[in-house]
Amino acid sequence: MTTRYLFDPKTTYEVVPIGRAVENVKLLVVDEKGNIVPQGAVGELYVGGPGVGRGYLNRDDLTAQKFVNFQGGRYYRTGDLVREEGDGVIIYVGRVDAQVKIRGVRIEPGEVEAALLKHPLINLAVVIGHPLDAPRKLVAYVQLADGQPLPADFRTWLRTLLPEALLPSAIIPLDKFPLTPNGKIDRKALPDPILETGSGSDSEEEEPRTAMEANLLSVWRKFLKSPSMGIHDNFFDFGGDSLLIVQIITELESTLKKTLPLSLIFNYPTVAKLAEVLQEKGWTPKTSTLVPVKPNGSRPPLFCVHADGGAFFYLDFAKYLDDEQPFYGLQSKGLDLNDEPFTRITDAAACYVGAIRSVQPQGPYHIGGFSVSGIFANEMAQQLVRDGQEVAMLAFLDAPAPHYPVYLSGGPDYTGRIKRLFSKPLVTMIRSGIQKMSVRYRKASSKVLIKLYQKMGRPLPPELRAERVRSLNQGMGDRYKPAPYDLGAFHLS
């Protein structure tokens, strides 16, 4: 026994708590990077103490994976996703192996299943990422009481419980679920869904009407792996993300013999709209550093600087914002062929300040940045304040704030990096090392290709333009020496 909890018979529990640790047991909640998470955040449950076993008999591989040395002690990785409440009680959320990652967002299907089961007609619910090997969509399978049909307003009801990013693309009623020989639900045997769309892909209205639409639709269906997709279906509703945008633009530039901006699909997210623009006589692509991800709303707009150069990263982030909160992303120059990328943060920040002031001429401003772009956001705030403007919020989203050791010392904190590395479990260290080697190989090969293209006088394809911008942004961030900023900022990680 590792935990205990005293239940109140008069209380109705939505989720049965795991409880608190018993004597001589230590519980830790740890994220996928090997860091202890703050209270209220979700992570994997580690169990430590004298009662932790030595491992699995004759299973050295499994022992190395599940029994780890962590922060000076030996712990068992349960595989359970949990969170610690304010009173120290541990709440079960789901399983690590059940998580799916869709469009860059890590989703716990159990959270969606719990919401579905709150409806009085739902007896059983299973949520998976589809397809299982490379999830692009969230699909729910439900069993209804007494074989009743799914209510017409069911999705509207579900929206009151879940943010847009967690809403299943398809909800499929089943009379009974396929089972494995040991009686568990066989997720691999669940029927393939017919993904829901806003306009119904099976109608004649969804079929291409011109050669351009036929060409575009074949490319979108190929990369989105959605043969039922129609010309009026939204790219992002079918799992489109920043990586797929680069791949599709690369393909289209090759087939159409045109240079296209990466923001094109964002501005024209259906085949019908995109084909209309591309066929327009005299049309030339227009580029802008300001991307209106969610332009409508009564509140002061929130402006967030690019992650890795593009603003598409924030598409899922914006879905979690209030309906009245306008949101704009800022993307680097250099992603489009006709723009030269910035080489100094001060120049980039000045351009971004001009862009946001075209939408909001006067403060107070609300600015944020993810990862290295937090440093760009900091320089923007400095310039606005020097110009007499008010900055009401400067947010660092998983980004090194100006007081981070690398900026105070004038260089990377290698000693701190080594200490943090060896404080993590061996499996995590190995996995992290492999990932870093892969990233370094990609960067090195991209640099060689970029130089080769430039020497030959050939235009860079979209994926190399994006890699060049990423490299330049990282270099600018490493060289930047921020001035003191005493007007208040907050850091989210």
Side-chain angles (χ1 to χ4, degrees):
M1 184 174 74
T2 57
T3 63
R4 63 183 174 207
Y5 186 78
L6 183 62
F7 287 90
D8 182 356
K10 298 180 181 179
T11 302
T12 301
Y13 296 90
E14 287 191 7
V15 179
V16 178
I18 292 176
R20 300 180 181 86
V22 300
E23 289 76 8
N24 293 324
V25 170
K26 187 173 183 180
L27 303 180
L28 298 178
V29 185
V30 183
D31 66 17
E32 60 183 0
K33 297 179 181 178
N35 302 312
I36 296 177
V37 304
Q39 201 170 60
V42 174
E44 184 180 356
L45 181 64
Y46 282 34
V47 178
V52 174
R54 297 172 60 184
Y56 292 98
L57 182 63
N58 299 327
R59 291 294 306 276
D60 293 344
D61 56 339
L62 191 57
T63 297
Q65 179 184 348
K66 302 295 285 187
F67 292 85
V68 296
N69 294 319
F70 185 70
Q71 295 196 342
R74 187 167 176 79
Y75 287 84
Y76 173 69
R77 298 181 60 178
T78 65
D80 291 332
L81 290 174
V82 301
R83 68 172 182 272
E84 183 183 353
E85 300 287 89
D87 55 1
V89 172
I90 302 294
I91 302 294
Y92 176 80
V93 175
R95 291 285 302 171
V96 171
D97 51 14
Q99 281 188 326
V100 295
K101 193 172 185 181
I102 297 176
R103 300 191 296 277
V105 178
R106 199 170 292 278
I107 294 173
E108 171 49 52
E111 184 179 348
V112 184
E113 291 169 357
L116 290 165
L117 290 171
K118 289 182 179 180
H119 196 284
L121 290 180
I122 303 297
N123 287 338
L124 183 62
V126 172
V127 175
I128 65 170
H130 179 81
L132 289 172
D133 58 342
R136 287 285 175 194
K137 285 292 180 180
L138 207 60
V139 178
Y141 298 85
V142 297
Q143 187 181 70
L144 291 108
D146 301 323
Q148 297 189 49
L150 198 68
D153 62 347
F154 185 81
R155 185 171 288 276
T156 302
W157 171 84
L158 192 59
R159 275 194 170 91
T160 65
L161 302 179
L162 295 172
E164 195 71 26
L166 297 188
L167 288 175
S169 297
I171 302 173
I172 302 172
L174 296 177
D175 294 330
K176 61 180 182 179
F177 283 78
L179 302 177
T180 63
N182 60 3
K184 294 184 177 180
I185 293 175
D186 189 350
R187 295 170 182 262
K188 293 182 180 180
L190 290 167
D192 287 337
I194 299 175
L195 296 178
E196 298 173 5
T197 65
S199 52
S201 304
D202 294 331
S203 69
E204 292 183 2
E205 295 178 357
E206 289 295 308
E207 293 304 313
R209 300 159 297 186
T210 65
M212 176 66 76
E213 288 184 347
N215 186 9
L216 294 177
L217 188 59
S218 67
V219 173
W220 285 31
R221 286 175 172 176
K222 169 185 170 184
F223 284 98
L224 293 168
K225 295 180 171 60
S226 298
S228 63
M229 191 174 192
I231 63 171
H232 297 295
D233 289 323
N234 191 292
F235 172 82
F236 299 104
D237 288 344
F238 275 73
D241 55 24
S242 57
L243 178 61
L244 286 173
I245 285 176
V246 172
Q247 293 173 345
I248 288 177
I249 290 294
T250 301
E251 179 94 354
L252 292 180
E253 285 192 346
S254 175
T255 57
L256 300 178
K257 309 301 181 186
K258 290 184 178 182
T259 300
L260 304 172
L262 291 176
S263 58
L264 188 66
I265 293 178
F266 182 87
N267 294 326
Y268 307 101
T270 70
V271 165
K273 291 180 180 177
L274 183 56
E276 182 180 352
V277 169
L278 292 176
Q279 293 176 119
E280 186 179 315
K281 288 185 178 180
W283 177 83
T284 55
K286 296 179 181 179
T287 61
S288 173
T289 56
L290 194 65
V291 179
V293 179
K294 188 172 171 287
N296 299 319
S298 59
R299 294 180 178 174
L302 172 60
F303 302 96
C304 280
V305 189
H306 48 74
D308 278 349
F312 307 107
F313 168 85
Y314 293 113
L315 288 171
D316 286 298
F317 175 82
K319 293 177 182 178
Y320 290 90
L321 299 177
D322 186 273
D323 289 342
E324 293 300 315
Q325 178 61 64
F327 182 85
Y328 292 83
L330 288 154
Q331 68 177 16
S332 293
K333 284 195 171 184
L335 292 175
D336 300 321
L337 193 61
N338 298 324
D339 287 335
E340 281 299 312
F342 291 111
T343 57
R344 298 195 310 168
I345 280 186
T346 50
D347 294 337
C351 174
Y352 301 158
V353 166
I356 69 174
R357 295 190 75 172
S358 69
V359 173
Q360 183 187 350
Q362 299 293 325
Y365 292 98
H366 299 75
I367 305 170
F370 172 79
S371 190
V372 70
S373 64
I375 305 305
F376 288 75
N378 177 74
E379 175 61 26
M380 291 172 63
Q382 303 270 9
Q383 294 186 14
L384 285 165
V385 170
R386 287 198 296 268
D387 199 31
Q389 296 296 320
E390 178 187 355
V391 178
M393 184 187 77
L394 173 59
F396 297 94
L397 310 174
D398 198 18
H403 60 271
Y404 196 62
V406 67
Y407 301 116
L408 295 179
S409 64
D413 178 21
Y414 292 112
T415 302
R417 289 182 183 179
I418 294 172
K419 287 180 179 178
R420 288 193 296 274
L421 175 65
F422 283 97
S423 69
K424 297 178 180 180
L426 179 61
V427 174
T428 303
M429 288 171 56
I430 295 173
R431 186 185 298 119
S432 176
I434 293 172
Q435 290 174 343
K436 287 180 179 178
M437 287 174 61
S438 175
V439 170
R440 287 176 180 173
Y441 173 78
R442 187 203 74 204
K443 289 181 177 179
S445 59
S446 294
K447 284 183 179 179
V448 172
L449 285 172
I450 288 170
K451 289 181 179 179
L452 184 61
Y453 269 84
Q454 291 174 333
K455 188 173 182 179
M456 296 171 63
R458 294 177 58 185
L460 294 177
E463 67 270 20
L464 289 183
R465 298 202 297 262
E467 186 58 46
R468 180 178 63 163
V469 166
R470 275 194 292 266
S471 178
L472 287 171
N473 286 344
Q474 188 62 55
M476 286 188 281
D478 291 343
R479 295 189 301 271
Y480 180 66
K481 300 295 185 295
Y485 184 83
D486 302 321
L487 298 179
F490 70 87
H491 186 270
L492 298 175
S493 61

